[in-house]
């Protein structure tokens, strides 16, 4: 079995090398060279919003359903779900943790006709607001929920 595994690994490495040499795999697509460094390195939620959307002006909306636990027993893996399926023309969804050292946790961009729904786990260092921002039809909408953290996370 070890010989078979070695041969499979060698074949996979060879195929990857051929793809790189043929120009099928480029460093920008493999290493995510186009990530939004300004937004993800921002220290405040307003700076992060401006980095992602070009504006920090988001209106409160009851149409966004943010689901997160009231008490997160382990801040390192806090489940968060954002459901904007009732809003037409969702272009993107961003999730922020207000007191994290870098508040922008993730940002999802949707194609035309996609349903605005994401579910993920985020890391939180302390009790704070989780903020969901949805861009739809050129407008920014948001909702937030406080999540209490008992252990773990970014800061502890």
């Amino acid at each position: 079995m070890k010989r078979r595994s070695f041969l499979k690994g060698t074949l996979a490495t060879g195929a990857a090398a051929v793809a790189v040499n043929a120009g099928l795999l480029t460093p920008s697509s493999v290493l995510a060279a186009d990530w939004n460094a300004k937004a993800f390195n921002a220290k405040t939620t307003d700076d992060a919003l401006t980095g992602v959307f070009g504006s920090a002006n988001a209106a409160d909306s009851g149409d966004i359903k943010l689901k997160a636990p009231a008490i997160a027993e382990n801040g390192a893996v806090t489940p968060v779900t954002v459901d904007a399926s009732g809003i037409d023309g969702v272009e993107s969804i961003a999730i922020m943790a207000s007191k994290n050292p870098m508040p922008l946790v993730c940002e999802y961009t949707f194609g035309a006709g996609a349903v605005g729904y994401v579910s993920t786990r985020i890391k939180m260092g302390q009790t704070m607001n989780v903020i969901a921002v949805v861009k739809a039809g050129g407008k920014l909408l948001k909702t937030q929920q406080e999540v209490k953290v008992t252990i773990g996370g970014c800061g502890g």
Side-chain angles (χ1 to χ4, degrees):
M1 289 302 264
K2 290 182 182 182
R3 181 176 176 225
R4 185 173 294 167
S5 296
F6 173 77
L7 290 174
K8 284 182 185 178
T10 303
L11 180 63
T13 303
V18 168
V20 169
N21 287 331
L24 299 175
L25 292 177
T26 60
S28 63
S29 64
V30 175
L31 302 174
D34 294 329
W35 75 295
N36 190 340
K38 180 182 176 188
F40 282 100
N41 289 326
K43 303 294 183 198
T44 67
T45 55
D46 284 348
D47 289 346
L49 278 176
T50 301
V52 173
F53 300 112
S55 172
N57 298 325
D60 289 326
S61 175
D63 294 332
I64 304 167
K65 295 171 185 67
L66 173 62
K67 182 181 173 190
I71 299 173
E73 292 182 15
N74 184 352
V77 288
T78 307
V80 175
T81 300
V82 179
D83 184 355
S85 58
I87 301 172
D88 290 333
V90 173
E91 300 168 35
S92 64
I93 294 176
I95 300 174
M96 293 184 292
S98 63
K99 292 184 184 175
N100 273 0
M102 295 175 191
L104 181 60
V105 177
C106 54
E107 192 252 334
Y108 300 91
T109 304
F110 298 92
V115 175
Y117 180 92
V118 295
S119 183
T120 189
R121 294 185 183 270
I122 68 171
K123 196 171 196 178
M124 300 172 56
Q126 59 183 304
T127 298
M128 67 183 77
N129 286 330
V130 173
I131 305 163
V133 180
V134 175
K135 182 176 183 182
K139 297 179 184 175
L140 294 180
L141 308 169
K142 72 175 180 176
T143 191
Q144 61 185 357
Q145 175 183 333
E146 183 181 63
V147 177
K148 295 182 190 228
V149 176
T150 57
I151 61 169
C154 303

